[in-house]
Amino acid sequence: MSHQQNIYLDNNATTRVDERVLNAIIPYFTDLYANSTSSHIAGLTINEAVENAAWQVADLINANAEEIIFTSGATEAINLAIKGLANQDKKHIITIQTEHKAVLETCLFMENIGFDVSYLPVDRNGILDFHFLNQTITDKTLIFIGMFSNNETGVIQNMLEISKLLKSKNVLFMCDATQAVGKIPIDVKTLGIDLLTLSAHKFYGPKGIGALYVSAKAKIKLIPQILGGGQQRKLRSGTLNVPGIIGLGKASEIAVNELEKDLDRIFLLRNKLESGLLQFKGSFVNGSIPNRIYNTTNICFPGVNSEQLIMALGNISVSNGSSCSSVTSEPSHVLKAMELSDEEALSSIRFSLGRFTTDEEIDITVERVLSLAQQLVLPRRH
């Protein structure tokens, strides 16, 4: 492979659309373009396809189709889930300092309308203190919001143990599973999750489509955030993005069938990449090594400015933080919460692999990163 060919290792930001997904979508831009809520035969045909996609998404997380609400993506789903609870009697929310900004900013909104929000710390490995969570819960606690797999470090929290605690305290459990759905097995019933958010473009589907799972068992009455024609049981009005929904459904179907194959192959590639990059003197992995998703590694290269290294890599796409805030040079709030210094956080790079990553790309990346990092390392102050 030529060094001029693009190597994409930023799959936590977005993924390439799988060709099988694209082929499933295209007819819904051309021949099958009717509105899914129209009562004529063409509309009813589209509605049937939408319902099938809902079942495909539900099957991926062991839910029921009627528990799935289609949104424009995970950010909208997060806003609907959290803001939709504004009329509840309990006014205390618990979340984690390392959550995605979509959760943190929405929680700030809830504070502004009268809710109390507790932002729990994590340890150096990015793991939530289970006992501290227990101590923070009160009789006024409505919901705990926790990310399944962190978008920057890949760290996975112990969702089952968290869920058991929350159920014993009669507290709702919301999971931002945007980085986990389609990559690892998720069973909302076994995990006792009441609300779950996901986005198609994180697992080889199109951008602009996501979903919110709302447990029927929990009997949660959300306040809709988008009003209009009353689509989707009046929870999210607006003409449905049918091509996107079909794409999300197809991506879900493929994930169900190929998840284990992807996991095994990408895990080995990630470990090869990581072991190669850790040859850089003083480098280390950010976050818990055993408790993380298989496609992600976040590595600190001491003395190297991550932005300079990313620019120098050119055709190799990597990230120094969340894709939603990577245009800033501020140190990552996730890494800061994990007790890294500003210097360490600004020397850290996230590598996230995917279905289309090759062994040859890993070899090239290791060689290029090590060479460029050595050139860019700043002399240490004495």
Side-chain angles (χ1 to χ4, degrees):
M1 175 182 288
S2 166
H3 281 188
Q4 298 308 307
Q5 290 179 270
N6 290 329
I7 297 174
Y8 188 78
L9 298 176
D10 197 20
N11 287 274
N12 284 8
T14 195
T15 56
R16 170 179 149 192
V17 175
D18 190 293
E19 189 172 348
R20 292 167 291 181
V21 173
L22 181 61
N23 290 335
I25 290 173
I26 289 174
Y28 292 87
F29 283 116
T30 54
D31 299 330
L32 304 172
Y33 55 85
N35 191 319
S36 63
T37 57
S38 296
S39 57
H40 45 62
I41 294 298
L44 294 173
T45 300
I46 303 303
N47 184 62
E48 185 176 348
V50 167
E51 290 181 351
N52 181 63
W55 277 111
Q56 290 172 315
V57 176
D59 187 45
L60 182 59
I61 59 173
N62 192 28
N64 297 317
E66 59 269 20
E67 297 174 308
I68 301 297
I69 303 167
F70 293 113
T71 66
S72 63
T75 296
E76 185 196 332
I78 287 166
N79 274 261
L80 172 57
I82 300 174
K83 292 179 182 178
L85 297 170
N87 63 349
Q88 301 293 313
D89 294 332
K90 295 180 179 180
K91 301 292 183 182
H92 180 222
I93 295 170
I94 302 174
T95 189
I96 310 174
Q97 292 176 7
T98 52
E99 291 299 298
H100 192 279
K101 287 295 180 72
V103 166
L104 297 178
E105 292 292 332
T106 309
C107 284
L108 179 60
F109 171 87
M110 298 300 282
E111 286 190 80
N112 291 333
I113 63 169
F115 277 70
D116 292 322
V117 182
S118 299
Y119 301 89
L120 302 187
V122 295
D123 63 19
R124 177 82 186 195
N125 291 317
I127 301 296
L128 174 68
D129 186 327
F130 183 76
H131 298 291
F132 193 42
L133 170 60
N134 187 27
Q135 294 170 359
T136 308
I137 296 172
T138 72
D139 58 0
K140 297 180 181 179
T141 303
L142 170 64
I143 191 169
F144 168 80
I145 305 166
M147 190 183 289
F148 203 115
S149 172
N150 187 271
N151 56 305
E152 294 192 30
T153 63
V155 169
I156 295 175
Q157 304 293 340
N158 191 331
M159 289 299 176
L160 186 57
E161 289 304 310
I162 289 172
S163 176
K164 288 178 181 177
L165 172 63
L166 297 175
K167 296 308 170 189
S168 71
K169 303 281 189 176
N170 195 30
V171 174
L172 292 174
F173 183 14
M174 174 181 161
C175 178
D176 173 9
T178 308
Q179 293 293 343
V181 168
K183 298 176 186 175
I184 57 177
I186 294 178
D187 186 327
V188 291
K189 291 182 170 59
T190 299
L191 292 173
I193 295 171
D194 299 304
L195 297 151
L196 179 142
T197 59
L198 60 92
S199 194
H201 76 102
K202 303 295 187 181
F203 61 107
Y204 317 104
K207 297 174 181 65
I209 184 68
L212 171 64
Y213 156 78
V214 184
S215 169
K217 184 179 179 181
K219 294 183 171 57
I220 302 167
K221 292 185 178 180
L222 295 177
I223 303 170
Q225 301 303 300
I226 299 177
L227 304 174
Q231 290 88 345
Q232 301 200 78
R233 302 180 299 281
K234 299 184 178 180
L235 284 170
R236 201 272 190 180
S237 291
T239 300
L240 293 182
N241 172 9
V242 174
I245 289 170
I246 299 303
L248 173 56
K250 186 62 177 180
S252 299
E253 178 187 73
I254 294 170
V256 167
N257 294 326
E258 300 185 6
L259 189 148
E260 292 297 333
K261 183 177 75 172
D262 281 347
L263 189 157
D264 292 340
R265 192 185 70 85
I266 297 169
F267 174 80
L268 293 174
L269 288 179
R270 192 280 308 273
N271 287 355
K272 178 181 180 179
L273 172 68
E274 188 172 270
S275 62
L277 296 177
L278 290 176
Q279 295 176 58
F280 184 84
K281 186 176 181 180
S283 60
F284 57 89
V285 175
N286 293 317
S288 172
I289 290 177
N291 302 304
R292 58 178 173 157
I293 203 160
Y294 60 86
N295 81 311
T296 305
T297 183
N298 190 306
I299 298 177
C300 178
F301 301 93
V304 179
N305 182 288
S306 62
E307 287 189 354
Q308 291 181 0
L309 180 53
I310 290 169
M311 292 301 294
L313 284 169
N315 61 299
I316 300 177
S317 300
V318 294
S319 171
N320 59 350
S322 169
S323 58
C324 300
S325 56
S326 58
V327 292
T328 70
S329 57
E330 294 290 320
S332 157
H333 77 279
V334 171
L335 299 183
K336 289 286 289 177
M338 292 164 56
E339 303 174 11
L340 270 72
S341 66
D342 284 1
E343 183 180 353
E344 289 172 328
L346 291 170
S347 296
S348 296
I349 291 182
R350 178 188 71 185
F351 301 82
S352 47
L353 288 62
R355 182 176 291 162
F356 305 108
T357 305
T358 68
D359 191 75
E360 187 181 6
E361 289 175 335
I362 298 301
D363 290 335
I364 293 171
T365 300
V366 170
E367 179 186 349
R368 290 277 303 282
V369 171
L370 291 179
S371 174
L372 289 169
Q374 193 57 50
Q375 295 174 36
L376 293 171
V377 67
L378 298 171
R380 293 192 175 276
R381 296 176 181 175
H382 298 286

